[in-house]
Amino acid sequence: MMAAYGAATSLKNTIQHILQSSRISLVPPSPQILRPAYLAMRRVQKVLLKLDETGYSKMRTKVNALDERIKEAIWEFEDLLESHFTHQILPLLESEKDFSVDLQSLRQSVDCFVERVTMMEAEYDAELLNMAEEEGEPISSRIDFGGINSEMVGLSDEFEQVKDYLLVQDRRGRGSNWLSVIGMAGVGKTAFAKRVFDDPSIQTHFEQRAWVKVGRKCEFGETLRCILAQVVPNTRDQLLTQGDNGDDDCEKLVGLLEERLRDKKCLIVLDDVWESDTRVMDTLPQDNVRILLTSRLGFRKSSFLKLRLLNEEESKKLLCQKVFGEEVFPPHLDLEELGKKIVKKCEGLPLMIVTVAGLLSKEEKTPQFWTEVADKQHNSVFEDAYNQISEVLSPSYEYLPQYLKMSFLYMGAFPPYSDIEIHNLYRQLSAEGFVEPIGKLTMEHFMINCLIKLARWYHLVLFDPNRKSWFSKKEFRVHSCWQYLCKKEASKIKFLHVLKSCEDVMNDQRRLCAHCNTLFAFKQVYDLIKSDCASTARSLLCYGPYHQYPVSIHAMDFKLLRVLVAAKVRFYNIPHEILKLVCLKYLALTCNKELPASISNLFNLQFLIIHPHMHIRKRGAVSYMPVEIWDMQELQHIQVFGRDLPCPNSDAILDKLYSLCGVGARSCSREILKRIHNLKILEIDVELKPYDDNNDNNSLVGLGFISEELQNLNELSYSITNPEMKYEPTIPLSMFPSSLMKLVLSGLGSPWKHLNDIGSFLPNLMILKLHHYAFRGPEWNIDSKCFLKLETLVIEDTDLVQWRSQHESLPRLDFVSLQHCYKLQQLNWTRDPSMVSTTIELVECNPLVVASAMQLRPKSHFKVRCYSSF
């Protein structure tokens, strides 16, 4: 469970926000009344984090129960505090801009709360010191590997790679003496290691072999005895019954092993390792002992192979073997197409495929039954399979660090089999309040680090690290097995509930999510939400397919909502009820109407995202956000497509705004830019209209103040929709701050020579993306003095014929993607041997440029990948 840490973080942030709000003045002595609760949450956080230091073998039953009690107490007080705060502000919304709040009536409640959590904190601290150890497995079961199935489907390349590491590298006598096979729980690490262990060439090469199932509890001395029992058979019985006699005993065991393994090649498999303990590796002889370990965790200081999920063909073959005992579907049963759908739902996880196959084998093999399994989202076979394998998966979640648990559970809200947009995820988590940076990292960088840890360290998220490549899957998602576990755990602790039907029980759930948005339109669901959890719910997440008809999600009497994700639901107008959600920090809607002035009622809002249902423009009309937007001091991200920022009527400044997207050039006047001077991300979209007198020449007018006013800008995107390209626009270099690290341009139609000028102005530029004739002309001769730090270059849709790069130009460029460049014929580019190697992608390009790329010298510095449909 472990939700108390997230609860404490949320309450601490809530109190801090109230104390520091620019629009709220607390009537004395209200600040002093709240401060003890804030300090109590800091102490609770520190105590709860101690659990992460207790190791993987401690029994957590009592600690979990205490954690649940602490969480309930914190949530109860947070509800009381925010309800009191909201109750005083709502009557003043229409008449006041700033609000006075009196919290004196909460003094007794605060004192009782602090006393209560202080007692539970002490109880928790004492319990940590007295946590019992789980019982370890007997040695006889740790070395019993005979029943492990080494039959595998697929992964032949990976198998040969590991064999090569163990055999060839062993002969060469260099490199580390141990290799980690890592990956998600259920991906087949143990079966893979057993296949290596049983391979005839491995058995021939290594005179001695030993297998040890380590698990979460296996002491160093116990591991040594397990190895000795297999390499010194006559000591087996004695070692199996011998107890641990401390360090002296370990020294004797090490001596015995060194003597026994002297001049003998030995392979040791350490299966299911949890602790990053290298004593075994450091103790055993380096020259003749090779160690293969498997783990669901990533380890530093180790060579590793991460086992991938099975592809579609491998998955289908495994299912057939387990259900029919053959490698293909029996043709007379007419089940192949349904089988492919079932396999796809298993997402390549061997444990899931085998479990589903076992359940299918017990049922009639008819198209009727298989159709239900393949097509129905909630079916008995998959539900049973998820529940069966949860025992294998659960420890990966149970032993996550405290600060990662809630973020991971939150991912259960997203629809299965679909990617998660990373930027939206960390913005939502930031608004939710139960996550905060550790150390000096910004929230954005901290969240990115958390997500990368979940993917690369704990293997709980499917993440494609090479997202910039056209050939990449570009995936970031949670496997459906894990999503099921996340949803089940989150609903159990009232953290988050995903609606499945009109009969769902939603009592006291703090977050509601739907993968079918129309569920909210049913009166039964509407009434249940209104009565059971609307008064305390913090989030409403509509993740179903886009729904073009309004759903009355706003009329359920939500009072403390922080996050409303409803971009997949169309609104004719922004509902008045939403504009009373004074606790709201994240709002995403789809609506074509102008933003009302009362949007400023949402004075806590940090993220404002408004999508249009249809792109409709009135002739001669200019659309602006209301001037009251400047009163929303907490705004960090604005993404209101087709609406510009207005000039403020006062000296207001949006100090916290770091991202502004979807605006036009009118939002880039000096008067506006100097009031959003901390901006890090700016995305400008210009739509040229056929009835305008404007032309490409003046589409860039007014952008010259960007570099002068936005000196911390990291990312700039400028895109022209419907460009006519009658002219060759001159790009004002003053629109590019020297701080830029990423630049995306589209539809400008400017000569290539201007790009060299831009490059010389941007000493820190690392990513450059050029789309839809951003530049045009037959030749681009790249000057050696520009783009000195550029690492990634993407050019898509251009009339470029020849690309010449001067010697020593683009010294750090390691990735180039050229897409739909049908006229491009030649790449003239010579690399200095001291420069980095470069991957060149050619997607739907002229065959002549493919041949030219293949001839680049030196060949060792270029890797060329091609795709063509012709």
Side-chain angles (χ1 to χ4, degrees):
M1 296 182 183
M2 302 299 167
Y5 182 81
T9 303
S10 175
L11 178 55
K12 191 184 84 170
N13 288 333
T14 297
I15 295 172
Q16 186 175 30
H17 189 74
I18 291 172
L19 292 173
Q20 296 178 353
S21 175
S22 59
R23 299 273 297 272
I24 300 170
S25 59
L26 294 178
V27 176
S30 296
Q32 289 71 33
I33 292 171
L34 274 184
R35 201 165 299 280
Y38 176 83
L39 295 175
M41 290 305 96
R42 290 184 60 177
R43 293 195 304 271
V44 167
Q45 282 181 305
K46 288 180 181 178
V47 170
L48 292 171
L49 284 174
K50 291 181 182 179
L51 180 69
D52 296 338
E53 302 167 8
T54 58
Y56 296 110
S57 60
K58 298 290 186 179
M59 296 181 68
R60 295 187 168 191
T61 309
K62 292 183 179 179
V63 168
N64 283 349
L66 267 171
D67 187 278
E68 179 71 9
R69 285 168 50 204
I70 295 170
K71 177 209 73 177
E72 288 295 334
I74 294 173
W75 280 357
E76 182 183 321
F77 179 75
E78 188 173 39
D79 290 346
L80 175 68
L81 173 62
E82 289 194 282
S83 296
H84 192 83
F85 164 84
T86 305
H87 182 70
Q88 293 191 44
I89 289 176
L90 283 177
L92 306 174
L93 272 184
E94 303 302 325
S95 58
E96 304 287 338
K97 274 192 174 182
D98 299 314
F99 312 98
S100 290
V101 175
D102 188 351
L103 301 178
Q104 292 190 65
S105 61
L106 290 182
R107 183 188 293 274
Q108 187 175 353
S109 298
V110 171
D111 292 342
C112 290
F113 169 70
V114 171
E115 183 180 354
R116 183 180 175 191
V117 294
T118 301
M119 291 175 61
M120 287 191 286
E121 172 195 330
E123 191 179 350
Y124 190 94
D125 208 7
E127 185 55 45
L128 288 176
L129 297 175
N130 298 303
M131 291 174 74
E133 288 276 351
E134 290 185 356
E135 287 189 18
E137 295 185 36
I139 290 180
S140 56
S141 65
R142 291 192 184 280
I143 63 177
D144 181 13
F145 53 84
I148 298 173
N149 187 359
S150 62
E151 293 180 13
M152 288 191 63
V153 171
L155 303 175
S156 55
D157 290 343
E158 291 82 353
F159 176 68
E160 293 300 327
Q161 185 181 340
V162 170
K163 275 178 58 180
D164 180 71
Y165 189 92
L166 296 173
L167 298 175
V168 179
Q169 195 150 307
D170 184 40
R171 296 189 196 104
R172 292 173 181 164
R174 64 174 181 267
S176 170
N177 74 323
W178 58 295
L179 173 70
S180 301
V181 175
I182 61 176
M184 185 187 297
V187 80
K189 300 179 294 294
T190 298
F192 183 90
K194 184 61 163 40
R195 183 180 171 190
V196 173
F197 192 78
D198 289 345
D199 184 76
S201 60
I202 291 288
Q203 294 189 45
T204 301
H205 181 80
F206 292 100
E207 300 167 71
Q208 300 281 5
R209 292 178 305 138
W211 181 287
V212 184
K213 180 185 176 184
V214 179
R216 287 184 284 110
K217 178 177 172 58
C218 187
E219 301 295 337
F220 174 55
E222 190 175 359
T223 302
L224 295 178
R225 287 196 295 277
C226 287
I227 297 170
L228 265 171
Q230 295 170 79
V231 300
V232 189
N234 59 1
T235 64
R236 180 185 177 97
D237 293 338
Q238 178 187 350
L239 290 165
L240 290 180
T241 56
Q242 181 180 338
D244 189 355
N245 296 319
D247 292 340
D248 292 340
D249 189 41
C250 287
E251 286 183 20
K252 292 177 182 177
L253 295 173
V254 169
L256 276 171
L257 269 174
E258 287 179 346
E259 181 182 339
R260 179 65 182 178
L261 298 178
R262 187 174 293 123
D263 302 325
K264 290 184 179 178
K265 294 188 181 298
C266 179
L267 172 65
I268 297 171
V269 173
L270 302 178
D271 185 37
D272 191 27
V273 175
W274 282 74
E275 298 280 0
S276 181
D277 187 349
T278 62
R279 281 184 297 174
V280 175
M281 297 74 170
D282 297 338
T283 300
L284 296 174
Q286 299 277 322
D287 295 335
N288 55 313
V289 175
R290 291 292 172 265
I291 298 172
L292 181 67
L293 65 83
T294 72
S295 179
R296 61 181 71 191
L297 305 175
F299 292 126
R300 298 184 182 93
K301 303 177 183 177
S302 166
S303 300
F304 69 90
L305 169 74
K306 181 176 179 179
L307 280 197
R308 61 174 174 83
L309 297 170
L310 301 183
N311 61 36
E312 192 171 331
E313 280 302 312
E314 292 166 343
S315 299
K316 190 170 67 172
K317 183 178 176 182
L318 180 58
L319 184 76
C320 289
Q321 283 184 357
K322 297 300 179 183
V323 177
F324 306 108
E326 304 173 14
E327 293 189 357
V328 294
F329 291 95
H332 66 279
L333 293 177
D334 196 25
L335 296 174
E336 182 165 0
E337 291 306 314
L338 295 170
K340 286 179 181 178
K341 288 185 179 181
I342 291 171
V343 156
K344 192 171 183 179
K345 290 174 72 172
C346 294
E347 297 185 280
L349 188 68
L351 179 62
M352 186 65 184
I353 297 169
V354 170
T355 307
V356 167
L359 293 167
L360 288 173
S361 299
K362 298 175 183 177
E363 304 290 342
E364 290 187 25
K365 299 173 181 63
T366 62
Q368 292 77 14
F369 181 73
W370 280 46
T371 297
E372 182 178 345
V373 176
D375 294 339
K376 192 175 178 183
Q377 185 176 1
H378 308 294
N379 62 80
S380 60
V381 168
F382 272 85
E383 295 269 342
D384 289 348
Y386 290 142
N387 287 321
Q388 282 186 32
I389 68 174
S390 62
E391 188 176 341
V392 176
L393 302 181
S394 291
S396 292
Y397 164 73
E398 176 77 9
Y399 292 96
L400 269 179
Q402 296 272 45
Y403 71 93
L404 291 176
K405 274 184 156 57
M406 294 298 98
S407 300
F408 182 57
L409 282 190
Y410 194 78
M411 293 187 202
F414 293 90
Y417 317 112
S418 62
D419 285 336
I420 300 170
E421 211 290 313
I422 293 179
H423 294 287
N424 284 340
L425 175 62
Y426 72 66
R427 285 169 189 151
Q428 284 175 223
L429 288 172
S430 176
E432 290 283 4
F434 56 76
V435 178
E436 67 177 356
I438 294 176
K440 296 182 179 180
L441 291 175
T442 63
M443 174 61 86
E444 179 180 346
H445 287 120
F446 173 73
M447 281 310 312
I448 290 173
N449 284 350
C450 287
L451 299 179
I452 289 173
K453 269 192 173 180
L454 285 170
R456 296 181 181 175
W457 190 257
Y458 297 102
H459 307 119
L460 295 176
V461 176
L462 303 177
F463 176 62
D464 184 355
N466 193 24
R467 296 174 64 83
K468 62 187 179 182
S469 169
W470 182 89
F471 293 92
S472 163
K473 295 179 181 177
K474 296 181 174 60
E475 67 181 10
F476 183 88
R477 59 192 174 91
V478 180
H479 193 284
S480 56
C481 298
W482 275 112
Q483 279 202 311
Y484 181 85
L485 188 143
C486 286
K487 286 186 286 189
K488 189 175 178 180
E489 276 295 317
S491 183
K492 182 180 175 182
I493 63 174
K494 309 294 186 182
F495 171 73
L496 180 146
H497 180 75
V498 178
L499 282 166
K500 291 182 181 179
S501 71
C502 297
E503 285 78 38
D504 280 20
V505 177
M506 293 172 278
N507 290 344
D508 302 322
Q509 293 288 347
R510 291 181 89 76
R511 287 165 188 86
L512 292 176
C513 173
H515 298 160
C516 176
N517 299 330
T518 51
L519 272 172
F520 293 120
F522 287 95
K523 188 177 186 304
Q524 185 178 350
V525 175
Y526 175 94
D527 290 341
L528 280 172
I529 293 174
K530 193 171 181 178
S531 63
D532 293 351
C533 58
S535 62
T536 56
R538 295 311 198 274
S539 305
L540 185 64
L541 312 172
C542 304
Y543 285 140
Y546 184 70
H547 188 66
Q548 65 175 328
Y549 302 105
V551 176
S552 56
I553 60 175
H554 55 280
M556 300 181 208
D557 284 352
F558 292 109
K559 292 181 175 63
L560 306 181
L561 214 62
R562 292 178 183 173
V563 174
L564 175 56
V565 179
K568 298 289 184 74
V569 178
R570 179 191 179 185
F571 288 85
Y572 293 146
N573 298 285
I574 296 182
H576 184 65
E577 291 89 345
I578 289 178
L579 300 173
K580 289 185 175 182
L581 297 173
V582 294
C583 294
L584 206 63
K585 295 184 178 181
Y586 184 106
L587 175 63
L589 295 177
T590 292
C591 184
N592 267 85
K593 288 293 181 71
E594 302 288 344
L595 285 177
S598 52
I599 191 74
S600 63
N601 287 346
L602 307 179
F603 59 89
N604 282 313
L605 202 67
Q606 298 173 352
F607 305 95
L608 174 62
I609 302 163
I610 307 293
H611 295 276
H613 172 64
M614 292 182 289
H615 293 270
I616 300 174
R617 299 283 182 271
K618 293 181 181 178
R619 183 165 183 164
V622 178
S623 294
Y624 287 100
M625 300 174 223
V627 72
E628 287 79 7
I629 201 89
W630 292 99
D631 295 330
M632 302 172 70
Q633 297 293 302
E634 299 299 319
L635 280 173
Q636 298 178 26
H637 171 76
I638 298 176
Q639 188 173 336
V640 182
F641 291 96
R643 306 283 189 270
D644 277 299
L645 275 177
C647 285
N649 295 330
S650 62
D651 57 356
I653 294 175
L654 296 180
D655 262 337
K656 297 179 181 179
L657 191 69
Y658 74 85
S659 176
L660 178 63
C661 304
V663 296
R666 294 182 184 86
S667 296
C668 299
S669 67
R670 182 193 291 273
E671 185 65 23
I672 290 175
L673 293 178
K674 69 182 182 182
R675 298 170 187 274
I676 52 175
H677 58 275
N678 288 325
L679 211 62
K680 298 287 180 65
I681 301 169
L682 175 60
E683 294 183 7
I684 304 169
D685 293 311
V686 175
E687 183 177 353
L688 299 184
K689 308 168 189 68
Y691 49 76
D692 279 356
D693 294 330
N694 293 349
N695 55 48
D696 288 3
N697 241 345
N698 62 20
S699 63
L700 295 163
V701 169
L703 300 178
F705 301 116
I706 293 177
S707 65
E708 194 173 329
E709 301 296 342
L710 303 181
Q711 297 180 10
N712 297 316
L713 198 68
N714 289 335
E715 299 182 20
L716 174 63
S717 173
Y718 184 86
S719 176
I720 297 178
T721 305
N722 304 325
E724 293 184 3
M725 298 194 182
K726 295 179 181 177
Y727 311 93
E728 291 187 352
T730 301
I731 302 175
L733 296 178
S734 56
M735 73 181 278
F736 303 106
S738 60
S739 57
L740 276 187
M741 300 175 71
K742 179 179 179 179
L743 176 62
V744 181
L745 299 172
S746 177
L748 275 72
S750 185
W752 285 101
K753 62 183 180 182
H754 289 327
L755 186 53
N756 288 340
D757 298 334
I758 293 170
S760 63
F761 263 70
L762 302 177
N764 300 302
L765 193 68
M766 299 172 68
I767 300 172
L768 176 62
K769 296 186 177 183
L770 309 172
H771 302 289
H772 308 306
Y773 281 73
F775 294 87
R776 57 177 167 154
E779 293 187 2
W780 181 22
N781 296 312
I782 304 172
D783 189 357
S784 61
K785 297 178 183 178
C786 59
F787 302 115
L788 296 180
K789 290 187 179 179
L790 194 67
E791 296 177 358
T792 298
L793 172 64
V794 177
I795 303 176
E796 183 227 355
D797 190 15
T798 180
D799 60 353
L800 190 64
V801 176
Q802 190 172 57
W803 173 12
R804 291 192 184 94
S805 180
Q806 292 188 17
H807 189 65
E808 296 184 355
S809 64
L810 307 172
R812 297 191 185 181
L813 190 64
D814 64 4
F815 179 79
V816 180
S817 184
L818 304 171
Q819 304 171 22
H820 302 278
C821 299
Y822 301 110
K823 294 184 179 181
L824 188 60
Q825 297 179 15
Q826 187 176 6
L827 294 180
N828 190 341
W829 189 9
T830 304
R831 306 303 304 272
D832 188 285
S834 63
M835 294 181 182
V836 298
S837 297
T838 302
T839 296
I840 300 176
E841 287 186 354
L842 298 165
V843 179
E844 301 285 23
C845 288
N846 194 319
L848 291 174
V849 77
V850 176
S852 174
M854 296 296 187
Q855 299 303 315
L856 290 174
R857 293 285 187 271
K859 284 195 173 183
S860 60
H861 272 61
F862 294 99
K863 178 182 178 182
V864 181
R865 302 180 71 184
C866 307
Y867 171 80
S868 175
S869 60
F870 52 87

